[in-house]
Amino acid sequence: MAEVSTNEFRPGLKVIIENELCEIVENNFHKPGKGQAVMRVKYKCLLNGRVLDKTFKTGESVEKADISSLEMQYLYKEGNSAIFMNSINYEQIGFDLNLLGSKNLWIKEGETYEIAMWENTLVSVEIDTFAEIAVSETEPGFKGDTSTNTLKSAKLTNGLEVKVPLFIEEGDLIKVDTRTNEYQSRVNK
């Protein structure tokens, strides 16, 4: 197993801390007036979402996580599982929808995604930063109500509710930031 020293820590690095898969969120080198220098680390447990702090002595090392990346096609939802198919050997794997978090709103049947796996456990699914999606329900906007940046609620075809400008109507295609679930612009097609 590959070891990573504290001086190699950086945000985004995936390591094994106390037998759990973790991602380093931030790290700070601290040299007190007396005593040994330490590395203060804030990390996130990727399988349960907890964010914890730990202090390591300089020179200590932890195990680097062996994460494999696969290209998989999303097939369908079955109960509380999302079924993906390996693009190489056509093997189908079901993942708990809770592991996908808010990303499960943005995955589309038939699309291919980059899947990160650790010991046959889903770590993450790479989705596009922006998605184009249709508005299924919204209140009508009124002419002349444009003096301020007034927003109204709109329900999207994936069930998500977002705030949009008054000129957006039902059936319009809009661009949404998948990280924040916020309206970006109207798509002209």
Side-chain angles (χ1 to χ4, degrees):
M1 296 291 167
E3 296 278 318
V4 180
S5 177
T6 54
N7 63 350
E8 298 174 81
F9 283 1
R10 65 187 184 287
L13 180 69
K14 292 174 180 61
V15 294
I16 310 296
I17 299 176
E18 297 171 11
N19 294 325
E20 288 193 48
L21 176 64
C22 303
E23 179 178 3
I24 294 176
V25 177
E26 63 182 61
N27 60 305
N28 296 309
F29 178 77
H30 179 68
K31 174 75 171 119
K34 283 185 168 180
Q36 186 176 6
V38 294
M39 182 71 74
R40 292 184 179 147
V41 177
K42 181 182 277 189
Y43 63 94
K44 179 180 181 181
C45 296
L46 292 176
L47 300 180
N48 60 26
R50 292 181 303 161
V51 177
L52 303 166
D53 295 312
K54 185 169 176 125
T55 302
F56 294 92
K57 294 177 184 168
T58 53
E60 270 189 276
S61 56
V62 294
E63 185 181 334
K64 185 175 182 181
D66 183 27
I67 294 181
S68 60
S69 189
L70 298 167
E71 225 175 69
M72 299 185 95
Q73 182 181 17
Y74 174 61
L75 298 177
Y76 57 90
K77 288 181 184 168
E78 183 177 84
N80 200 29
S81 294
I83 309 299
F84 285 86
M85 179 179 66
N86 188 322
S87 301
I88 297 166
N89 63 9
Y90 305 109
E91 178 186 353
Q92 293 183 13
I93 303 172
F95 297 114
D96 186 358
L97 284 172
N98 296 329
L99 292 175
L100 297 175
S102 66
K103 290 181 180 181
N104 89 44
L105 293 169
W106 299 108
I107 57 175
K108 295 179 186 171
E109 290 182 5
E111 293 288 317
T112 302
Y113 298 97
E114 193 75 25
I115 307 281
M117 304 272 291
W118 175 69
E119 294 182 355
N120 293 326
T121 305
L122 175 75
V123 175
S124 70
V125 176
E126 287 299 315
I127 61 172
D128 292 333
T129 306
F130 298 101
E132 293 180 0
I133 191 163
V135 175
S136 63
E137 292 176 33
T138 189
E139 303 160 3
F142 298 106
K143 282 200 182 283
D145 204 0
T146 57
S147 61
T148 61
N149 287 340
T150 309
L151 301 174
K152 62 181 180 178
S153 287
K155 193 169 192 174
L156 306 177
T157 53
N158 66 358
L160 186 69
E161 232 176 84
V162 297
K163 296 287 187 188
V164 296
L166 294 175
F167 59 83
I168 299 294
E169 299 172 3
E170 285 183 19
D172 281 356
L173 204 58
I174 63 171
K175 188 179 197 179
V176 178
D177 187 331
T178 58
R179 299 166 298 183
T180 60
N181 294 338
E182 291 179 354
Y183 167 85
Q184 295 298 307
S185 65
R186 179 166 48 179
V187 177
N188 296 322
K189 288 218 174 179

Coordinates of all heavy atoms in Angstrom, one line a residue, residues 40-125:
R40 N -2.1 20.3 11.0 CA -3.5 20.2 11.3 C -4.3 20.0 10.1 O -4.2 20.7 9.1 CB -4.0 21.5 12.0 CG -3.3 21.7 13.4 CD -3.8 22.9 14.1 NE -3.2 23.1 15.4 CZ -2.9 24.2 15.9 NH1 -3.2 25.3 15.3 NH2 -2.3 24.2 17.1
V41 N -5.2 19.0 10.1 CA -5.9 18.6 8.9 C -7.4 18.5 9.2 O -7.8 18.0 10.2 CB -5.4 17.1 8.5 CG1 -6.2 16.7 7.3 CG2 -4.0 17.1 8.1
K42 N -8.2 19.1 8.3 CA -9.6 18.9 8.3 C -10.0 18.0 7.1 O -9.5 18.2 6.0 CB -10.3 20.3 8.1 CG -11.9 20.2 8.1 CD -12.5 21.5 7.9 CE -12.6 22.3 9.2 NZ -13.4 23.5 9.1
Y43 N -10.7 16.9 7.4 CA -11.0 15.9 6.4 C -12.4 15.5 6.4 O -13.1 15.6 7.4 CB -10.0 14.7 6.5 CG -10.2 13.9 7.8 CD1 -11.0 12.8 7.8 CD2 -9.5 14.3 8.9 CE1 -11.2 12.1 9.0 CE2 -9.6 13.5 10.1 CZ -10.4 12.4 10.1 OH -10.6 11.7 11.3
K44 N -12.9 15.0 5.3 CA -14.3 14.6 5.1 C -14.3 13.1 4.9 O -13.6 12.6 4.0 CB -14.9 15.3 4.0 CG -16.4 14.9 3.7 CD -17.0 15.7 2.6 CE -18.4 15.3 2.3 NZ -19.0 16.0 1.2
C45 N -15.1 12.4 5.7 CA -15.3 10.9 5.4 C -16.2 10.8 4.2 O -17.4 11.3 4.3 CB -15.9 10.2 6.6 SG -14.8 10.3 8.1
L46 N -15.8 10.2 3.2 CA -16.5 10.2 1.9 C -17.7 9.3 1.9 O -18.7 9.5 1.2 CB -15.6 9.9 0.7 CG -14.6 10.9 0.4 CD1 -13.7 10.4 -0.7 CD2 -15.2 12.2 0.0
L47 N -17.7 8.3 2.8 CA -18.8 7.3 2.8 C -20.0 7.8 3.7 O -21.1 7.4 3.5 CB -18.4 5.9 3.1 CG -17.3 5.4 2.2 CD1 -16.9 4.0 2.6 CD2 -17.8 5.4 0.8
N48 N -19.7 8.6 4.7 CA -20.8 9.1 5.5 C -20.9 10.6 5.6 O -21.9 11.1 6.2 CB -20.7 8.5 7.0 CG -19.4 8.9 7.6 OD1 -18.8 9.9 7.4 ND2 -19.0 8.0 8.6
G49 N -20.0 11.3 5.0 CA -20.1 12.8 4.9 C -19.7 13.6 6.1 O -19.7 14.8 6.1
R50 N -19.2 12.9 7.2 CA -18.8 13.6 8.4 C -17.5 14.4 8.1 O -16.6 13.9 7.4 CB -18.5 12.7 9.6 CG -19.7 12.0 10.1 CD -19.4 11.1 11.3 NE -18.4 10.1 10.8 CZ -17.6 9.4 11.6 NH1 -17.7 9.6 12.9 NH2 -16.8 8.6 11.1
V51 N -17.3 15.6 8.7 CA -16.1 16.4 8.6 C -15.5 16.4 9.9 O -16.1 16.8 10.9 CB -16.4 17.8 8.1 CG1 -15.2 18.7 8.0 CG2 -17.1 17.8 6.7
L52 N -14.2 16.0 10.0 CA -13.5 15.9 11.2 C -12.1 16.6 11.2 O -11.7 16.9 10.1 CB -13.3 14.4 11.6 CG -14.5 13.5 11.7 CD1 -14.2 12.1 11.6 CD2 -15.3 13.9 12.9
D53 N -11.5 16.8 12.3 CA -10.2 17.4 12.4 C -9.3 16.4 13.1 O -9.7 15.6 13.9 CB -10.2 18.7 13.3 CG -11.1 19.8 12.7 OD1 -10.9 20.1 11.5 OD2 -11.9 20.3 13.4
K54 N -8.0 16.5 12.7 CA -7.0 15.6 13.3 C -5.6 16.3 13.1 O -5.4 17.0 12.2 CB -6.9 14.2 12.6 CG -6.0 13.3 13.2 CD -6.2 11.9 12.7 CE -5.2 11.0 13.3 NZ -5.7 9.8 14.0
T55 N -4.8 16.1 14.1 CA -3.5 16.7 14.1 C -2.4 15.6 14.0 O -2.5 14.6 14.7 CB -3.2 17.5 15.4 OG1 -4.2 18.5 15.5 CG2 -1.8 18.1 15.4
F56 N -1.5 15.7 13.0 CA -0.5 14.8 12.7 C 0.9 15.4 13.1 O 1.1 16.6 12.8 CB -0.5 14.3 11.3 CG -1.7 13.6 10.8 CD1 -2.8 14.2 10.3 CD2 -1.7 12.2 10.9 CE1 -3.9 13.6 9.8 CE2 -2.8 11.5 10.5 CZ -3.9 12.2 9.9
K57 N 1.8 14.6 13.6 CA 3.2 15.1 13.8 C 3.8 15.1 12.4 O 3.5 14.3 11.5 CB 3.9 14.1 14.7 CG 3.4 14.1 16.1 CD 4.2 13.1 16.9 CE 3.6 13.0 18.3 NZ 4.2 11.9 19.1
T58 N 4.8 16.0 12.2 CA 5.4 16.0 10.9 C 6.2 14.8 10.7 O 6.8 14.2 11.7 CB 6.4 17.3 10.8 OG1 7.3 17.3 11.9 CG2 5.7 18.5 10.7
G59 N 6.2 14.2 9.5 CA 6.9 13.0 9.3 C 6.0 11.8 9.4 O 6.4 10.7 8.9
E60 N 4.9 11.9 10.0 CA 3.9 10.8 10.1 C 3.4 10.6 8.7 O 3.4 11.4 7.8 CB 2.7 11.1 11.0 CG 2.9 10.7 12.4 CD 1.6 10.9 13.2 OE1 1.3 12.0 13.6 OE2 0.9 9.9 13.3
S61 N 2.9 9.4 8.4 CA 2.3 9.1 7.1 C 1.0 8.3 7.3 O 0.8 7.6 8.3 CB 3.3 8.4 6.2 OG 3.8 7.2 6.8
V62 N 0.2 8.4 6.3 CA -1.1 7.6 6.2 C -1.2 6.9 4.9 O -0.4 7.2 3.9 CB -2.3 8.5 6.4 CG1 -2.3 9.2 7.8 CG2 -2.4 9.6 5.3
E63 N -2.1 5.9 4.8 CA -2.2 5.2 3.6 C -3.0 6.0 2.5 O -4.0 6.6 2.8 CB -3.0 3.9 3.9 CG -3.1 2.9 2.8 CD -3.9 1.7 3.2 OE1 -3.9 1.3 4.3 OE2 -4.5 1.1 2.2
K64 N -2.5 6.0 1.3 CA -3.2 6.7 0.2 C -4.2 5.7 -0.3 O -4.0 4.5 -0.5 CB -2.2 7.0 -0.9 CG -2.7 7.8 -2.0 CD -1.7 8.2 -3.0 CE -2.3 9.0 -4.1 NZ -1.3 9.4 -5.1
A65 N -5.4 6.3 -0.6 CA -6.5 5.5 -1.1 C -6.3 5.1 -2.5 O -5.9 5.9 -3.3 CB -7.8 6.3 -0.9
D66 N -6.6 3.8 -2.8 CA -6.5 3.3 -4.1 C -7.8 3.4 -4.8 O -8.7 2.5 -4.7 CB -6.0 1.8 -4.1 CG -5.8 1.3 -5.5 OD1 -5.5 2.1 -6.4 OD2 -5.9 0.0 -5.7
I67 N -8.0 4.5 -5.5 CA -9.4 4.7 -6.1 C -9.2 4.5 -7.6 O -8.4 5.0 -8.3 CB -9.8 6.2 -5.8 CG1 -10.0 6.3 -4.4 CG2 -11.0 6.5 -6.7 CD1 -10.5 7.7 -3.9
S68 N -10.2 3.6 -8.1 CA -10.2 3.3 -9.5 C -11.3 4.1 -10.2 O -12.3 4.5 -9.6 CB -10.4 1.8 -9.8 OG -11.6 1.4 -9.2
S69 N -11.1 4.4 -11.4 CA -12.1 5.2 -12.2 C -12.6 4.4 -13.4 O -11.8 3.8 -14.1 CB -11.4 6.5 -12.7 OG -12.3 7.4 -13.2
L70 N -13.9 4.3 -13.5 CA -14.5 3.6 -14.6 C -15.5 4.5 -15.3 O -16.1 5.4 -14.8 CB -15.3 2.4 -14.0 CG -14.6 1.3 -13.2 CD1 -15.6 0.5 -12.5 CD2 -13.8 0.5 -14.2
E71 N -15.7 4.2 -16.6 CA -16.7 4.8 -17.4 C -17.9 3.9 -17.4 O -17.8 2.7 -17.8 CB -16.2 5.1 -18.8 CG -16.5 6.5 -19.3 CD -16.0 6.8 -20.6 OE1 -16.4 6.2 -21.6 OE2 -15.1 7.6 -20.7
M72 N -19.0 4.4 -16.9 CA -20.2 3.6 -16.8 C -21.4 4.4 -17.3 O -21.5 5.6 -17.2 CB -20.5 3.2 -15.3 CG -19.4 2.4 -14.7 SD -19.8 1.8 -13.1 CE -20.4 0.2 -13.5
Q73 N -22.4 3.6 -17.9 CA -23.6 4.2 -18.4 C -24.7 4.0 -17.4 O -24.9 2.9 -16.9 CB -23.9 3.5 -19.7 CG -25.2 4.0 -20.4 CD -25.5 3.3 -21.7 OE1 -25.1 2.2 -21.9 NE2 -26.4 3.9 -22.5
Y74 N -25.4 5.1 -17.2 CA -26.6 5.0 -16.3 C -27.8 4.4 -17.0 O -28.1 4.9 -18.1 CB -26.9 6.4 -15.7 CG -28.2 6.5 -14.9 CD1 -28.3 5.7 -13.7 CD2 -29.3 7.2 -15.3 CE1 -29.4 5.8 -13.0 CE2 -30.4 7.3 -14.5 CZ -30.5 6.5 -13.4 OH -31.6 6.5 -12.6
L75 N -28.3 3.4 -16.5 CA -29.4 2.7 -17.1 C -30.8 3.1 -16.6 O -31.6 3.6 -17.4 CB -29.3 1.2 -17.0 CG -28.0 0.6 -17.6 CD1 -27.9 -0.9 -17.4 CD2 -28.0 0.9 -19.1
Y76 N -31.0 2.9 -15.3 CA -32.4 3.2 -14.7 C -32.3 3.2 -13.2 O -31.3 2.8 -12.6 CB -33.4 2.2 -15.2 CG -33.1 0.8 -14.9 CD1 -33.5 0.2 -13.7 CD2 -32.3 0.0 -15.8 CE1 -33.1 -1.2 -13.5 CE2 -32.0 -1.3 -15.6 CZ -32.4 -1.9 -14.4 OH -32.1 -3.2 -14.1
K77 N -33.4 3.7 -12.6 CA -33.6 3.6 -11.1 C -34.4 2.4 -10.8 O -35.4 2.1 -11.5 CB -34.3 4.9 -10.6 CG -33.4 6.1 -10.6 CD -34.1 7.3 -10.1 CE -33.2 8.5 -10.2 NZ -33.8 9.7 -10.0
E78 N -34.1 1.7 -9.8 CA -34.8 0.5 -9.4 C -34.9 0.6 -7.8 O -34.0 0.3 -7.1 CB -34.1 -0.8 -9.8 CG -34.9 -2.1 -9.4 CD -34.2 -3.3 -9.9 OE1 -33.3 -3.8 -9.2 OE2 -34.5 -3.8 -11.0
G79 N -36.1 1.0 -7.4 CA -36.3 1.2 -5.9 C -35.4 2.3 -5.5 O -35.5 3.4 -5.9
N80 N -34.5 2.0 -4.5 CA -33.6 3.0 -4.0 C -32.2 2.9 -4.5 O -31.3 3.3 -4.0 CB -33.6 2.9 -2.4 CG -33.1 4.2 -1.8 OD1 -33.3 5.3 -2.4 ND2 -32.5 4.1 -0.7
S81 N -32.1 2.2 -5.7 CA -30.8 2.0 -6.4 C -30.8 2.6 -7.7 O -31.8 2.7 -8.4 CB -30.6 0.5 -6.5 OG -30.4 -0.1 -5.2
A82 N -29.6 3.0 -8.1 CA -29.3 3.5 -9.5 C -28.5 2.4 -10.1 O -27.5 2.0 -9.6 CB -28.5 4.8 -9.4
I83 N -28.9 1.9 -11.3 CA -28.3 0.8 -12.0 C -27.4 1.4 -13.1 O -27.8 2.1 -14.0 CB -29.3 -0.2 -12.6 CG1 -30.3 -0.6 -11.6 CG2 -28.6 -1.3 -13.2 CD1 -29.8 -1.3 -10.3
F84 N -26.1 1.1 -13.0 CA -25.1 1.5 -13.9 C -24.5 0.3 -14.6 O -24.4 -0.8 -14.0 CB -23.9 2.3 -13.3 CG -24.3 3.7 -12.8 CD1 -24.9 3.9 -11.6 CD2 -24.0 4.8 -13.7 CE1 -25.2 5.2 -11.2 CE2 -24.3 6.1 -13.3 CZ -24.9 6.3 -12.0
M85 N -24.1 0.5 -15.9 CA -23.5 -0.6 -16.6 C -22.0 -0.3 -17.0 O -21.8 0.8 -17.6 CB -24.3 -0.9 -17.9 CG -23.7 -2.0 -18.7 SD -24.6 -2.4 -20.2 CE -24.5 -0.9 -21.2
N86 N -21.1 -1.2 -16.7 CA -19.7 -1.0 -17.1 C -19.6 -1.0 -18.6 O -20.1 -1.9 -19.3 CB -18.9 -2.1 -16.5 CG -17.4 -1.9 -16.7 OD1 -17.0 -1.4 -17.8 ND2 -16.6 -2.3 -15.8
S87 N -19.0 0.0 -19.2 CA -19.0 0.2 -20.7 C -18.0 -0.8 -21.3 O -18.1 -1.0 -22.6 CB -18.5 1.6 -21.0 OG -19.4 2.6 -20.5
I88 N -17.2 -1.5 -20.6 CA -16.2 -2.4 -21.2 C -16.7 -3.8 -21.1 O -16.8 -4.5 -22.2 CB -14.9 -2.3 -20.4 CG1 -14.3 -0.9 -20.6 CG2 -13.9 -3.4 -20.9 CD1 -13.1 -0.6 -19.7
N89 N -17.2 -4.3 -19.9 CA -17.6 -5.7 -19.8 C -19.1 -5.9 -19.7 O -19.6 -7.0 -19.5 CB -16.9 -6.4 -18.7 CG -17.2 -5.8 -17.3 OD1 -18.1 -5.0 -17.2 ND2 -16.4 -6.3 -16.3
Y90 N -19.9 -4.8 -19.8 CA -21.3 -4.8 -19.7 C -21.9 -5.3 -18.4 O -23.1 -5.7 -18.3 CB -21.9 -5.5 -20.9 CG -21.4 -5.0 -22.2 CD1 -20.5 -5.8 -23.0 CD2 -21.8 -3.7 -22.6 CE1 -20.1 -5.2 -24.2 CE2 -21.3 -3.2 -23.8 CZ -20.4 -4.0 -24.6 OH -19.9 -3.5 -25.8
E91 N -21.1 -5.4 -17.3 CA -21.6 -5.8 -16.0 C -22.4 -4.7 -15.4 O -22.0 -3.5 -15.5 CB -20.4 -6.1 -15.1 CG -20.7 -6.4 -13.7 CD -19.5 -6.6 -12.8 OE1 -18.3 -6.5 -13.3 OE2 -19.7 -6.7 -11.6
Q92 N -23.6 -5.0 -14.8 CA -24.4 -4.0 -14.2 C -24.2 -4.0 -12.7 O -24.2 -5.1 -12.1 CB -25.9 -4.3 -14.6 CG -26.2 -4.2 -16.0 CD -27.7 -4.4 -16.3 OE1 -28.5 -4.4 -15.5 NE2 -28.0 -4.5 -17.6
I93 N -24.2 -2.8 -12.2 CA -23.9 -2.6 -10.7 C -25.0 -1.6 -10.2 O -25.2 -0.6 -10.8 CB -22.5 -2.0 -10.4 CG1 -21.4 -3.0 -11.0 CG2 -22.3 -1.9 -8.9 CD1 -20.1 -2.4 -11.0
G94 N -25.6 -1.9 -9.1 CA -26.5 -1.0 -8.4 C -25.9 -0.3 -7.3 O -25.2 -0.9 -6.5
F95 N -26.1 1.0 -7.3 CA -25.6 1.9 -6.2 C -26.8 2.5 -5.4 O -27.7 2.9 -6.1 CB -24.7 3.0 -6.7 CG -23.5 2.5 -7.4 CD1 -23.3 2.7 -8.8 CD2 -22.5 1.8 -6.7 CE1 -22.2 2.2 -9.4 CE2 -21.3 1.4 -7.4 CZ -21.2 1.6 -8.7
D96 N -26.6 2.7 -4.1 CA -27.6 3.3 -3.3 C -27.7 4.8 -3.8 O -26.7 5.5 -3.9 CB -27.2 3.2 -1.9 CG -28.3 3.8 -0.9 OD1 -29.3 4.2 -1.4 OD2 -28.1 3.7 0.3
L97 N -29.0 5.2 -4.0 CA -29.2 6.6 -4.5 C -28.7 7.6 -3.5 O -28.3 8.7 -3.8 CB -30.7 6.9 -4.8 CG -31.2 6.3 -6.1 CD1 -32.7 6.4 -6.2 CD2 -30.5 7.0 -7.3
N98 N -28.7 7.3 -2.2 CA -28.2 8.2 -1.1 C -26.8 8.5 -1.3 O -26.3 9.6 -0.9 CB -28.5 7.7 0.3 CG -30.0 7.5 0.5 OD1 -30.8 8.3 0.0 ND2 -30.4 6.5 1.3
L99 N -26.0 7.6 -1.8 CA -24.5 7.8 -2.0 C -24.3 8.9 -3.1 O -23.3 9.5 -3.1 CB -23.8 6.5 -2.4 CG -23.7 5.4 -1.4 CD1 -23.1 4.2 -2.0 CD2 -22.9 5.9 -0.2
L100 N -25.3 9.0 -4.0 CA -25.1 10.0 -5.1 C -25.4 11.4 -4.6 O -25.0 12.4 -5.2 CB -26.0 9.7 -6.3 CG -25.7 8.4 -7.0 CD1 -26.8 8.1 -8.1 CD2 -24.4 8.4 -7.6
G101 N -26.2 11.5 -3.5 CA -26.6 12.8 -3.0 C -27.4 13.6 -4.0 O -28.3 13.0 -4.7
S102 N -27.2 14.9 -4.1 CA -28.0 15.7 -5.0 C -27.7 15.4 -6.5 O -28.4 15.9 -7.4 CB -27.8 17.2 -4.7 OG -26.4 17.5 -5.0
K103 N -26.6 14.7 -6.8 CA -26.3 14.4 -8.1 C -27.3 13.5 -8.8 O -27.4 13.5 -10.0 CB -24.9 13.8 -8.2 CG -23.8 14.7 -7.9 CD -22.4 14.0 -8.0 CE -21.3 15.0 -7.7 NZ -20.0 14.5 -7.8
N104 N -28.1 12.8 -8.0 CA -29.1 11.8 -8.6 C -30.2 12.6 -9.3 O -30.9 12.0 -10.1 CB -29.6 10.8 -7.5 CG -30.8 11.3 -6.8 OD1 -31.7 11.8 -7.3 ND2 -30.8 11.0 -5.5
L105 N -30.3 13.9 -9.0 CA -31.3 14.7 -9.8 C -30.8 15.0 -11.2 O -31.6 15.3 -12.1 CB -31.5 16.1 -9.1 CG -32.2 16.0 -7.7 CD1 -32.1 17.4 -7.0 CD2 -33.7 15.6 -7.9
W106 N -29.5 14.9 -11.4 CA -29.0 15.4 -12.7 C -28.5 14.3 -13.6 O -28.2 14.5 -14.8 CB -27.8 16.3 -12.4 CG -28.2 17.5 -11.7 CD1 -28.0 17.8 -10.4 CD2 -29.1 18.6 -12.2 NE1 -28.6 19.0 -10.0 CE2 -29.3 19.5 -11.1 CE3 -29.7 18.9 -13.4 CZ2 -30.1 20.6 -11.2 CZ3 -30.4 20.0 -13.5 CH2 -30.6 20.9 -12.5
I107 N -28.5 13.0 -13.1 CA -28.1 11.9 -14.0 C -29.2 11.6 -14.9 O -30.4 11.6 -14.5 CB -27.5 10.7 -13.2 CG1 -28.5 10.2 -12.2 CG2 -26.2 11.0 -12.5 CD1 -28.1 8.9 -11.5
K108 N -28.9 11.3 -16.2 CA -29.9 11.0 -17.2 C -29.7 9.6 -17.7 O -28.6 9.1 -17.9 CB -29.8 12.0 -18.3 CG -30.2 13.4 -18.0 CD -30.0 14.3 -19.2 CE -30.2 15.7 -18.9 NZ -29.8 16.6 -20.0
E109 N -30.8 8.9 -17.9 CA -30.8 7.5 -18.5 C -30.1 7.5 -19.8 O -30.3 8.4 -20.7 CB -32.2 6.9 -18.6 CG -32.8 6.6 -17.3 CD -34.2 6.0 -17.4 OE1 -34.6 5.7 -18.6 OE2 -34.8 5.8 -16.4
G110 N -29.2 6.6 -20.0 CA -28.5 6.4 -21.3 C -27.2 7.2 -21.4 O -26.3 7.0 -22.3
E111 N -26.9 8.2 -20.4 CA -25.7 9.0 -20.5 C -24.6 8.2 -19.8 O -24.8 7.4 -18.9 CB -25.9 10.3 -19.7 CG -26.9 11.2 -20.3 CD -26.3 11.9 -21.6 OE1 -25.2 12.3 -21.6 OE2 -27.1 12.0 -22.6
T112 N -23.3 8.5 -20.2 CA -22.1 7.8 -19.7 C -21.5 8.8 -18.7 O -21.3 10.0 -19.0 CB -21.2 7.5 -20.8 OG1 -21.9 6.6 -21.7 CG2 -19.9 6.7 -20.3
Y113 N -21.0 8.3 -17.5 CA -20.4 9.1 -16.5 C -19.1 8.4 -16.0 O -19.0 7.2 -16.1 CB -21.4 9.2 -15.3 CG -22.6 9.9 -15.6 CD1 -23.8 9.2 -16.0 CD2 -22.7 11.3 -15.7 CE1 -25.0 9.9 -16.3 CE2 -23.9 12.0 -16.0 CZ -25.0 11.3 -16.3 OH -26.1 11.9 -16.7
E114 N -18.2 9.2 -15.5 CA -17.0 8.8 -14.9 C -17.3 8.5 -13.4 O -17.7 9.3 -12.7 CB -15.9 9.9 -15.0 CG -14.5 9.5 -14.7 CD -13.9 8.6 -15.8 OE1 -14.3 8.8 -17.0 OE2 -13.0 7.9 -15.5
I115 N -17.1 7.2 -13.0 CA -17.4 6.7 -11.7 C -16.1 6.4 -10.9 O -15.3 5.7 -11.4 CB -18.3 5.4 -11.7 CG1 -19.5 5.6 -12.6 CG2 -18.6 4.9 -10.3 CD1 -20.6 6.3 -12.0
A116 N -16.0 7.0 -9.7 CA -14.8 6.7 -8.9 C -15.2 5.6 -7.9 O -16.2 5.7 -7.2 CB -14.4 7.9 -8.2
M117 N -14.4 4.5 -7.8 CA -14.7 3.4 -6.9 C -13.5 3.1 -6.0 O -12.4 3.3 -6.4 CB -14.9 2.1 -7.8 CG -16.0 2.2 -8.8 SD -17.6 1.8 -8.2 CE -17.4 0.1 -7.9
W118 N -13.9 2.7 -4.8 CA -12.9 2.3 -3.8 C -13.4 1.0 -3.1 O -14.5 1.0 -2.5 CB -12.7 3.4 -2.7 CG -11.8 3.0 -1.6 CD1 -10.5 2.8 -1.6 CD2 -12.2 2.8 -0.2 NE1 -10.0 2.5 -0.4 CE2 -11.0 2.4 0.5 CE3 -13.4 2.8 0.5 CZ2 -11.0 2.1 1.8 CZ3 -13.4 2.5 1.8 CH2 -12.2 2.2 2.5
E119 N -12.7 -0.1 -3.3 CA -13.0 -1.4 -2.8 C -14.5 -1.7 -3.1 O -15.3 -2.0 -2.2 CB -12.8 -1.4 -1.3 CG -11.3 -1.4 -0.9 CD -11.1 -1.5 0.6 OE1 -12.1 -1.5 1.4 OE2 -9.9 -1.5 1.0
N120 N -14.9 -1.6 -4.4 CA -16.2 -1.9 -4.9 C -17.3 -1.0 -4.2 O -18.5 -1.4 -4.2 CB -16.6 -3.4 -4.7 CG -15.7 -4.2 -5.6 OD1 -15.3 -3.8 -6.7 ND2 -15.4 -5.4 -5.1
T121 N -16.9 0.1 -3.7 CA -17.9 1.1 -3.2 C -17.8 2.4 -4.0 O -16.8 2.9 -4.3 CB -17.5 1.4 -1.7 OG1 -17.5 0.2 -1.0 CG2 -18.6 2.3 -1.1
L122 N -19.0 2.9 -4.3 CA -19.1 4.1 -5.1 C -18.5 5.3 -4.2 O -19.0 5.5 -3.1 CB -20.5 4.4 -5.5 CG -20.8 5.8 -6.2 CD1 -20.3 5.7 -7.6 CD2 -22.3 6.1 -6.1
V123 N -17.6 6.1 -4.8 CA -17.1 7.2 -4.1 C -17.7 8.5 -4.7 O -18.2 9.4 -4.0 CB -15.6 7.3 -4.2 CG1 -15.0 8.6 -3.6 CG2 -14.9 6.1 -3.6
S124 N -17.7 8.6 -6.0 CA -18.3 9.8 -6.6 C -18.7 9.5 -8.1 O -18.2 8.6 -8.7 CB -17.4 11.0 -6.5 OG -16.3 10.8 -7.4
V125 N -19.6 10.4 -8.6 CA -20.0 10.4 -10.0 C -19.7 11.7 -10.5 O -20.1 12.7 -10.0 CB -21.5 10.0 -10.2 CG1 -21.9 10.1 -11.6 CG2 -21.8 8.7 -9.6

